[in-house]
């Protein structure tokens, strides 16, 4: 009998010494305690009818019990389908209709709204609250902790993760035991995780970053986690002295830098800060180093592929780049039209192949064929180039590329210039419909608190630094850029908001 993810990530908890999860209320869970929780949850899932290959959806708060459900799905050979807690009932219904999970776990407060959804799709509903209570907990308590472990092979599905859909419809990425395990091993090695590590975990666990990068690496390497229910600046600052590693999205780092309590002494003992899921501004990278003496390690990955590239653990962590391909992962930059590989320095489509790359999109064979080549390369939709030293620089999503009057404009090039201007906190550049040019370059700016943006100075700078077709034809100030929970700017919303600007 073997079960790749169970054997490597969960079984070792039975004999792990010390604490596995530190919780904000001061309590803690040892490895064996957590494993018993996962085993009881596995038995409870079986009572609810879950069999190998069945999907188990959950839209629940981040708790140890929720993480134990991940272990339970692995043990029962089921496929975990975690859902963003912000999704509305109708969004949840679209995922339930697509994935037809056997079980849907929800917060008790959403029972009334989601019961009809579950009913329409033949899904069994159970509840799990932010305090760990609910019908699922009661069912778990009635089960024994000696769960039988289902046999699985590396190619068997372990998770169905829907993409965040910032550039289009969410698609269910099918991730196997082998995909997740190989990437966990690669990252644990690359980032030198050991049982002495304590990962400060403040990311959500419905996304690949918090669930797989953070939890799988900790489980595999024997590291402990300070498991926080979400991002809370005060709680994060309080926990930092007990942590050795922080994994965050760029907004974690900008918020920490905005707080005077975040200083060199507070993090002098830290081993590693990792950033990903959205671009970390070079300015943030440099400001972080100036404040703390640490260089943030930026990495690049996505739901479909797990992690692809990383700045080196030892070696130069280069601001504004996402580092080099991870061992075992091939990354090429190709001509988007022909698919032919391009030399270093030229910008094109980032394609990725390796044991980390998913098997396809659930129920979408055509979409899978469009994006996953026969030779195994996945066309990521990200545009980038390798610099002369082999570091990958991302310039944006292909769907964000602006084609104005037949010329290509990479939003990032314009954004980087705007971000440097006095008074500019951040910027987003999008293409909006234009009667003459097809699309027009349009910039959205946010002011730094207490400062003013000088529009004339910005116009003059743009005229001097950018070819005319790259210069924004309109600039708008907003209070904040729309972002999803992973800190990604939702350019689709900006394009909609400003779509009739030149109509
Ligand atoms: P998701 O599937 O939600 O993880 O989103 C994946 C996308 O996030 C990638 O295709 C990139 O566009 C973006 N992304 C992830 N990491 C980075 C990074 N370090 N810098 C810039 N973009 C990133």
């Amino acid at each position: 009998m073997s079960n790749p993810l169970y054997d490597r990530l969960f079984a070792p908890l039975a004999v792990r010494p010390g604490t596995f999860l530190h919780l904000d209320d001061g309590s803690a869970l040892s490895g064996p305690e957590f494993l018993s929780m996962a085993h009881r949850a596995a038995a409870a899932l079986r009572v609810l009818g879950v069999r190998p290959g069945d999907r188990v959806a959950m839209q629940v708060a981040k708790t140890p019990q929720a993480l134990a459900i991940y272990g339970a799905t692995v043990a029962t050979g089921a496929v975990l389908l975690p859902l963003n807690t912000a999704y509305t009932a109708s969004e949840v219904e679209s995922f339930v209709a697509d994935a037809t999970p056997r079980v849907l776990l929800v917060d008790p407060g959403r029972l009334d709204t989601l019961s009809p959804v579950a009913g329409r799709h033949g899904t069994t509903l159970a509840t799990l609250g932010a305090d760990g209570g609910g019908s699922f907990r009661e069912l778990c308590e009635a089960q024994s902790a000696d769960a039988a472990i289902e046999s699985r092979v590396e190619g068997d599905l372990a998770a169905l993760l829907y993409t965040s859909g910032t550039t289009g419809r969410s698609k269910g990425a099918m991730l196997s035991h082998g995909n997740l395990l190989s990437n966990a091993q690669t990252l644990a090695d690359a980032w030198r995780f050991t049982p002495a590590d304590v990962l400060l975990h403040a990311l959500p666990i419905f996304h690949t970053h918090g669930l797989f990068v953070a939890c799988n690496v900790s489980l595999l390497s024997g590291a402990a986690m300070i498991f926080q229910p979400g991002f809370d600046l005060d709680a994060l600052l309080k926990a930092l002295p007990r942590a050795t590693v922080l994994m965050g999205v760029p907004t974690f780092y900008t918020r920490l830098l905005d707080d005077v309590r975040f200083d060199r002494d507070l993090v002098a003992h830290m081993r590693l800060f990792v950033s990903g899921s959205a671009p970390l501004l070079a300015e943030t990278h440099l400001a972080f180093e100036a404040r703390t003496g640490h260089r943030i390690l930026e990495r690049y990955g996505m739901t479909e592929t797990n992690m692809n590239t990383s700045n080196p653990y030892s070696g130069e962590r280069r601001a504004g780049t996402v580092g080099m391909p991870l061992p075992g992962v091939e990354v090429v930059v190709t001509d988007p039209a022909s698919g032919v590989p391009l030399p270093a320095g030229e910008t094109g489509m980032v394609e990725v192949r390796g044991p980390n790359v998913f098997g396809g999109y659930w129920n979408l064979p055509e979409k899978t064929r469009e994006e996953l080549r026969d030779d195994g390369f996945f066309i990521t939709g990200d545009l980038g180039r390798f610099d002369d030293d082999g570091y990958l620089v991302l310039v944006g999503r292909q769907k964000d590329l602006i084609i104005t009057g037949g010329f290509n404009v990479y939003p990032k090039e314009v954004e980087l210039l705007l971000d440097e201007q006095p008074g500019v906190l951040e910027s987003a550049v999008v293409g909006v419909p234009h009667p003459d040019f097809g699309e027009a370059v349009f910039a959205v700016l946010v002011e730094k608190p207490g400062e003013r943006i000088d529009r004339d100075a910005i116009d003059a700078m743009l005229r001097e630094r950018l070819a005319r077709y790259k210069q924004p034809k309109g600039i708008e100030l907003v209070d904040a850029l729309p972002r999803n929970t992973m800190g990604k700017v939702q350019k689709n919303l900006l394009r909609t908001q400003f779509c009739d600007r030149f109509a």
Side-chain angles (χ1 to χ4, degrees), residues 248-307:
V249 293
T251 30
F252 280 26
Y253 295 109
T254 49
R255 297 220 189 131
L256 282 169
L257 285 170
D258 282 344
D259 197 299
V260 290
R261 292 171 294 173
F262 184 67
D263 63 15
R264 197 171 276 256
D265 287 347
L266 189 71
V267 293
H269 67 288
M270 290 285 287
R271 185 174 75 75
L272 182 62
F273 292 90
V274 179
S275 177
S277 291
L280 180 77
L281 292 181
E283 181 194 314
T284 311
H285 186 108
L286 300 176
F288 196 90
E289 186 181 13
R291 175 89 65 92
T292 66
H294 289 282
R295 290 179 78 93
I296 298 173
L297 182 152
E298 186 171 8
R299 93 311 177 264
Y300 155 62
M302 55 202 313
T303 304
E304 292 92 329
T305 63
N306 299 280
M307 300 306 107

Side-chain angles (χ1 to χ4, degrees), residues 164 207 277-279 298-303 322 382 394 397 488:
S164 50
H207 184 269
S277 291
E298 186 171 8
R299 93 311 177 264
Y300 155 62
M302 55 202 313
T303 304
V322 293
D382 289 314
L394 295 178
R397 302 280 302 160
K488 289 183 214 296

